[in-house]
Amino acid sequence: MANAQPPAGGPRGPRPGRSPLQALIYWTLVLGVWALIFVVAFFAVFSVDLPDTSKLYDVKRQPSISYLDRSGGLVAVRGSQYAPPVDLNKLPPYVPKAFVAIEDRWFYWHFGFNPWGIVRSQAYNWTHKRGGPLRGGSTITQQLARALFLTPNQTYRRKAQELILAVWLEAKFSKKQILELYLNREYFGEGAYGIEAASQRYFNKPAAELTLGESALLAGLMKGPSRYSPVAATDRAARRATIVLDEMVRIHAITPQQRDEALKAPVRVNPVLANQRAQYFTDWVDDQVRHLVGEPTEDLVVETTLDLPLQASAEQTIQTDVVAAKPQGVQQAALVSLDGEGRVRAYVGGVNYLQSQFDRATQARRQAGSSFKPFVYLTAIEAGQTPDTPVVDEPITIGTWTPRNYTGKYLGPITLEIGLKESINTVAARLANEVGTSNVAATAHRLGIVSPIQLDPSMALGAVEVSPLEMAQAYAPFSNGGVFAKAYAIERIRTASGRMLFDHSMGNDQRRAVIGQPALSYMIRMLRQVIASGTGTRANVKGYDLAGKTGTTSDYRDAWFMGYTGGFVTAVWVGRDDNTPMKKVTGGGIPAGIWHDYMVQVLPRLKTELIPGAEAPPTEETSSDAISQIISGVNDLLHGDHEADSAPPKPASRPSAQIRPSQEEAPH
């Protein structure tokens, strides 16, 4: 049979395949259509709430505040610093090249974003999710868009809007204009916005005079102004600047010889920034400025009471002595100096501000230990006792509390003067019990303690949490003739144009007599003996009229030395931020040593005088034989560092964390 033929109009044979060229054209069109749809949808979704770009050239300037010391020296500048924008053509050619080399070497070739850079950064982030910082892949144009219009929040929506705005910037401005905007608007750390302000802030020179090394250092800041700050992280900033120079060689922006010459030339940071003096003090005063005059709307100048030479001595002494005391478990320290008027002359809130901004001079509350005892003795003297009043150092129980002395020994019949000089616990506890702890608290508050004071019997031995600033304030009346002197740091606040906003001398005078006679004379006499031959001998500086008191708390958690001369008082505290014990550090040891090392430097600078309110201190030649014999007998009974007035408490009797009895208390 003949093969049947397919009917007319029936199914046809297979369609011939597309040629490779036809397939390429077809799929290109398909992908192009879908890409167009995606781009339109992308812009439609993420352009809904784009920020207003009409204010491109508006600068939201935060006024700066310049802090001066008592002699007019610059202490610090806070707030944002802006400067007039610089013309790119007026900068050395290597300045913009440094930023392009390290931030966006394809800057002159892309159209706002670098697809390959985005893919590469995302691939890196996906493979390094658990370690190290993530990479962003943003171009200079994207960074500018973020700085001008967006927040730094790391969200996909923000990144998408950043990309859209970057394309808009590329369409509206030339590459030169974009780079110029970038250099004039980016944040460089230390409150500086723009390269001109950064050059002035870091190097005290205009941007037109930047060296190659300085340019590389500023370009390196873009990765993280705080992390790569030449002030806070000198070594890290130097390494980053070296990377910038290497990248500049790589893209042929400079020659290897220019790089080597730049590496040999030292980069010196503005001394005001490099020294970082009085940062704790500036933080403390900064809050007060806003309380006094509100948020500034124009540049301000704040004249403070600080004495920069004294401040430098205080900071250096704290750093040196605490480092030396680290084997003994000392971690932190604070120091505050006041003059007789209450002016803060030196203020150190910690060992290293760059490592910890927590201010231990005012923000920390630590137990005062035996440095609180002068308030007990003053209350007793005001009740009629004298330094020569006989007392008995013997075991005593008040309620269920039995304080004991460090040595475990008791001296028997002594005088009040010896009791304070040697920081005898039983005597202080007995006195507070006799005069009433509420009266002791009232005395402390009258002199300048502002923290709450608990009225348990252990308060007599310093189970009271206070700050170094208020302790210095409370000791000031002992140094200035018995007058209350509220600590203050701001003399005047004025605008940069000269308009006065605040003047301390125009305020209410809070000075008033808080210690009368003969109580003041008696207290000075006894506190002189603490330094002359008692627990604070390590603080003694020959040739000056000095008085003071040591203090140590339970388990050696806190150690203090409070000392003064005529019209000048300094409080020193050492301890650990985690409130763990040090290794038998007492107030008569490291704190007294810090006080001594600091005062040796500052006493010659002060117009020192005899402590007012008492007779001149006796010299060694005029000391009576009787007093010498008593001191000799007491010293025979005591041994080691006299400030360690009691043994640590037994674990079973350890008090709560809220109220720790002093080391001088040490209950059984």
Side-chain angles (χ1 to χ4, degrees):
M1 181 183 288
N3 292 336
Q5 297 295 323
R12 300 176 181 177
R15 181 179 298 176
R18 296 187 182 92
S19 68
L21 179 60
Q22 291 174 323
L24 177 63
I25 295 173
Y26 172 80
W27 287 110
T28 299
L29 290 173
V30 170
L31 292 175
V33 170
W34 280 108
L36 180 61
I37 294 172
F38 173 79
V39 170
V40 171
F42 180 87
F43 275 79
V45 171
F46 294 108
S47 299
V48 173
D49 57 349
L50 278 176
D52 180 11
T53 59
S54 64
K55 299 180 179 180
L56 174 66
Y57 291 100
D58 291 352
V59 177
K60 295 180 181 179
R61 186 182 187 281
Q62 178 188 354
S64 65
I65 305 177
S66 298
Y67 293 94
L68 310 181
D69 85 332
R70 66 195 305 264
S71 300
L74 182 63
V75 176
V77 178
R78 291 290 173 89
S80 301
Q81 178 177 335
Y82 290 85
V86 295
D87 185 343
L88 205 63
N89 293 330
K90 295 182 179 179
L91 293 175
Y94 47 72
V95 174
K97 288 179 180 179
F99 289 84
V100 170
I102 195 64
E103 289 297 311
D104 186 5
R105 57 193 177 99
W106 297 105
F107 172 71
Y108 291 102
W109 305 100
H110 61 64
F111 44 91
F113 65 95
N114 186 345
W116 169 242
I118 294 174
V119 171
R120 185 176 55 185
S121 64
Q122 290 302 314
Y124 177 88
N125 294 340
W126 287 336
T127 56
H128 295 75
K129 290 183 178 180
R130 294 188 177 182
L134 300 181
R135 293 181 178 175
S138 295
T139 63
I140 281 178
T141 314
Q142 287 176 273
Q143 293 178 47
L144 176 61
R146 180 172 65 246
L148 293 177
F149 307 119
L150 301 171
T151 67
N153 297 333
Q154 293 288 343
T155 65
Y156 283 108
R157 185 173 190 83
R158 198 272 293 164
K159 290 294 291 184
Q161 292 181 333
E162 176 185 293
L163 189 149
I164 294 171
L165 290 168
V167 173
W168 176 81
L169 286 169
E170 290 280 347
K172 186 174 179 63
F173 300 99
S174 68
K175 290 288 186 180
K176 176 180 178 295
Q177 290 174 315
I178 291 173
L179 187 55
E180 198 170 78
L181 273 170
Y182 174 78
L183 291 177
N184 283 315
R185 299 297 288 276
E186 277 294 323
Y187 181 59
F188 285 79
E190 297 294 337
Y193 286 84
I195 194 165
E196 179 66 25
S199 182
Q200 296 285 358
R201 180 63 62 89
Y202 285 106
F203 307 118
N204 201 27
K205 63 166 66 172
E209 298 178 9
L210 285 170
T211 66
L212 177 56
E214 292 165 347
S215 303
L217 190 147
L218 292 179
L221 287 173
M222 295 297 95
K223 189 174 182 179
S226 59
R227 178 172 174 77
Y228 295 96
S229 167
V231 177
T234 306
D235 293 340
R236 190 183 296 126
R239 290 194 297 269
R240 180 68 177 167
T242 301
I243 294 174
V244 174
L245 293 171
D246 290 340
E247 288 297 313
M248 293 180 74
V249 172
R250 182 181 174 188
I251 67 170
H252 306 292
I254 59 173
T255 65
Q257 291 75 19
Q258 288 176 304
R259 175 196 57 193
D260 295 341
E261 290 175 3
L263 291 174
K264 293 177 183 178
V267 175
R268 291 184 169 82
V269 178
N270 185 347
V272 174
L273 283 178
N275 289 334
Q276 285 289 311
R277 295 289 183 207
Q279 294 301 304
Y280 292 106
F281 174 82
T282 307
D283 282 352
W284 177 55
V285 175
D286 200 57
D287 290 337
Q288 298 176 47
V289 169
R290 285 163 171 77
H291 176 74
L292 290 170
V293 301
E295 285 297 325
T297 57
E298 54 184 313
D299 292 346
L300 301 181
V301 176
V302 179
E303 300 174 24
T304 74
T305 62
L306 197 74
D307 190 322
L308 273 178
L310 270 60
Q311 179 70 20
S313 297
E315 292 181 2
Q316 184 60 48
T317 301
I318 288 289
Q319 291 170 2
T320 301
D321 288 14
V322 170
V323 168
K326 280 188 176 180
Q328 293 175 260
V330 176
Q331 179 194 65
Q332 282 294 345
L335 182 152
V336 177
S337 290
L338 307 180
D339 65 19
E341 302 291 321
R343 291 181 284 251
V344 176
R345 302 283 292 276
Y347 184 107
V348 182
V351 176
N352 189 318
Y353 180 84
L354 298 177
Q355 294 178 359
S356 170
Q357 288 78 53
F358 179 69
D359 184 358
R360 297 149 192 90
T362 54
Q363 294 176 336
R365 292 292 187 277
R366 305 298 291 244
Q367 289 202 358
S370 285
S371 62
F372 190 81
K373 287 179 180 176
F375 308 125
V376 177
Y377 278 76
L378 176 58
T379 307
I381 285 177
E382 289 177 336
Q385 303 197 43
T386 73
D388 299 316
T389 297
V391 291
V392 180
D393 175 19
E394 61 184 357
I396 181 176
T397 298
I398 303 173
T400 60
W401 177 56
T402 303
R404 61 187 178 90
N405 297 329
Y406 177 72
T407 61
K409 300 177 181 179
Y410 301 93
L411 303 181
I414 57 174
T415 63
L416 280 190
E417 182 171 6
I418 293 175
L420 182 58
K421 178 172 75 78
E422 301 297 346
S423 202
I424 304 298
N425 287 337
T426 61
V427 174
R430 187 185 303 276
L431 287 176
N433 186 55
E434 291 175 356
V435 300
T437 56
S438 61
N439 291 326
V440 173
T443 298
H445 285 313
R446 186 177 81 232
L447 267 63
I449 296 296
V450 296
S451 295
I453 299 176
Q454 58 88 16
L455 302 181
D456 290 345
S458 60
M459 66 91 77
L461 308 185
V464 177
E465 294 183 345
V466 293
S467 71
L469 178 70
E470 64 184 305
M471 284 295 284
Q473 178 176 271
Y475 267 70
F478 293 128
S479 75
N480 67 6
V483 178
F484 174 77
K486 183 174 177 58
Y488 75 96
I490 299 175
E491 293 285 9
R492 283 168 290 277
I493 304 174
R494 54 183 169 84
T495 65
S497 60
R499 182 166 57 92
M500 192 66 63
L501 302 179
F502 170 81
D503 189 334
H504 181 270
S505 65
M506 301 300 291
N508 295 326
D509 187 5
Q510 300 188 48
R511 291 174 59 80
R512 60 186 184 276
V514 290
I515 309 176
Q517 292 290 9
L520 177 61
S521 177
Y522 289 157
M523 289 301 302
I524 295 171
R525 167 184 159 184
M526 292 192 292
L527 292 172
R528 279 171 174 163
Q529 288 302 308
V530 172
I531 290 181
S533 59
T535 60
T537 55
R538 187 172 177 179
N540 201 5
V541 181
K542 298 296 184 182
Y544 294 94
D545 185 13
L546 306 175
K549 185 69 185 75
T550 53
T552 314
T553 62
S554 179
D555 289 343
Y556 305 99
R557 298 173 190 269
D558 304 282
W560 298 75
F561 188 81
M562 303 295 309
Y564 62 92
T565 185
F568 191 84
V569 59
T570 297
V572 175
W573 165 88
V574 303
R576 299 177 61 85
D577 285 339
D578 59 7
N579 204 30
T580 54
M582 297 173 285
K583 297 178 180 178
K584 295 188 176 181
V585 174
T586 65
I590 292 167
I594 292 174
W595 195 91
H596 170 272
D597 295 345
Y598 165 65
M599 294 298 288
V600 162
Q601 300 174 63
V602 306
L603 280 169
R605 296 185 57 86
L606 302 173
K607 294 181 179 179
T608 56
E609 56 187 34
L610 295 179
I611 301 171
E615 297 179 357
T619 62
E620 292 182 4
E621 290 76 10
T622 60
S623 297
S624 67
D625 293 338
I627 292 177
S628 299
Q629 290 174 2
I630 293 174
I631 292 173
S632 177
V634 171
N635 288 338
D636 288 341
L637 290 171
L638 300 172
H639 58 82
D641 187 298
H642 288 179
E643 210 294 312
D645 300 313
S646 69
K650 296 181 180 179
S653 299
R654 182 173 296 171
S656 68
Q658 282 298 107
I659 300 177
R660 300 188 315 276
S662 74
Q663 180 66 26
E664 288 77 15
E665 171 196 336
H668 285 289

